[in-house]
Amino acid sequence: SYFYLLIIQKYVYQLQIASGLLENGHELDYLTINELAERCFVSTSSLNRFFRIYGYNKYMIFKALFSSILKSEDYERRIDMSC
């Protein structure tokens, strides 16, 4: 039914955004929300909903925290250990 289709579509968007963040995370410092939305193939509204789901009211806040995690030594060590 239509209701189930809406639920599935919501999760597809979340997966697209998560995938886009992983692919483009190293460039996040330089991307506007519009550019990130283009790379994730979603709207800026979808991105904002995604950030709010995880407790971030603004893209700038999410971007700063995500970027700092990627740059942290601990993150680098975990990546090296997983290879």
Side-chain angles (χ1 to χ4, degrees):
S1 85
Y2 182 72
F3 177 71
Y4 293 115
L5 186 60
L6 288 177
I7 292 172
I8 291 170
Q9 185 177 17
K10 175 179 138 181
Y11 290 110
V12 168
Y13 285 149
Q14 288 182 8
L15 184 59
Q16 279 179 253
I17 293 168
S19 178
L21 286 169
L22 291 173
E23 287 179 27
N24 299 286
H26 60 287
E27 296 180 67
L28 206 57
D29 281 340
Y30 312 105
L31 294 176
T32 66
I33 194 166
N34 292 325
E35 292 167 330
L36 181 60
E38 278 183 27
R39 292 185 184 200
C40 294
F41 304 103
V42 297
S43 68
T44 57
S45 297
S46 293
L47 276 178
N48 282 318
R49 278 191 296 276
F50 180 86
F51 299 137
R52 280 195 305 271
I53 287 169
Y54 295 101
Y56 301 98
N57 292 330
K58 296 185 183 262
Y59 171 61
M60 297 302 285
I61 295 169
F62 174 84
K63 181 164 82 166
L65 290 171
F66 191 83
S67 293
S68 69
I69 289 169
L70 288 180
K71 293 174 186 173
S72 75
E73 289 181 32
D74 188 43
Y75 179 79
E76 296 281 331
R77 262 186 267 136
R78 279 186 275 165
I79 295 299
D80 288 341
M81 290 172 42
S82 68
C83 294

